[in-house]
Amino acid sequence: MPRDVGLEELLREELDTMSGLSEKPMFGGLAFLLDGNLLCGARQDGMLVRLGKGNDGWALDLPGAVQMLSGGRAMHGWIRVGAEIYGDDDLRRRLLEAATAFVRSLPAK
């Protein structure tokens, strides 16, 4: 699956001041890791956001947000959103702030 370079740049701009951030090609796209833990990702089919199990209900209520699937299996705590959501500055920031709060609660790798 081709990568979404535009989304990758949007996420880089949004996350550029965050210390401990790294990038790694994964899942057919580009993953952003915070202190070694997956934070979010960019693929042609949307932005992946890691909110943590039990923290994703509010985000799944957003029109167009879906639970991430891996091999047909639901990945609880992960959502995928399309351009209608990640293109909205306020929604994108809210999702990334929630993801950052969750991932910062994890031990660094």
Side-chain angles (χ1 to χ4, degrees):
M1 177 176 291
R3 290 175 36 177
D4 184 334
V5 177
L7 176 54
E8 291 173 10
E9 284 303 314
L10 187 63
L11 289 173
R12 278 189 193 104
E13 290 172 13
E14 196 73 46
L15 303 170
D16 73 341
T17 61
M18 193 175 292
S19 63
L21 192 71
S22 60
E23 300 176 10
K24 183 176 184 178
M26 295 176 81
F27 310 120
L30 185 67
F32 292 81
L33 295 89
L34 180 58
D35 297 325
N37 291 298
L38 284 166
L39 174 69
C40 63
R43 291 182 12 161
Q44 188 177 27
D45 60 353
M47 180 174 84
L48 306 176
V49 185
R50 184 181 190 183
L51 300 172
K53 289 182 182 179
N55 298 327
D56 56 356
W58 67 271
L60 288 169
D61 287 338
L62 297 170
V66 296
Q67 194 166 56
M68 182 180 153
L69 298 176
S70 179
R73 187 173 68 97
M75 302 297 292
H76 299 284
W78 280 90
I79 65 162
R80 180 184 314 283
V81 297
E84 67 278 4
I85 294 176
Y86 72 70
D88 180 304
D89 293 343
D90 292 332
L91 286 176
R92 183 182 62 255
R93 287 185 185 116
R94 185 173 171 205
L95 287 165
L96 291 173
E97 286 170 3
T100 300
F102 172 72
V103 172
R104 286 211 188 277
S105 74
L106 301 173
K109 289 187 174 181

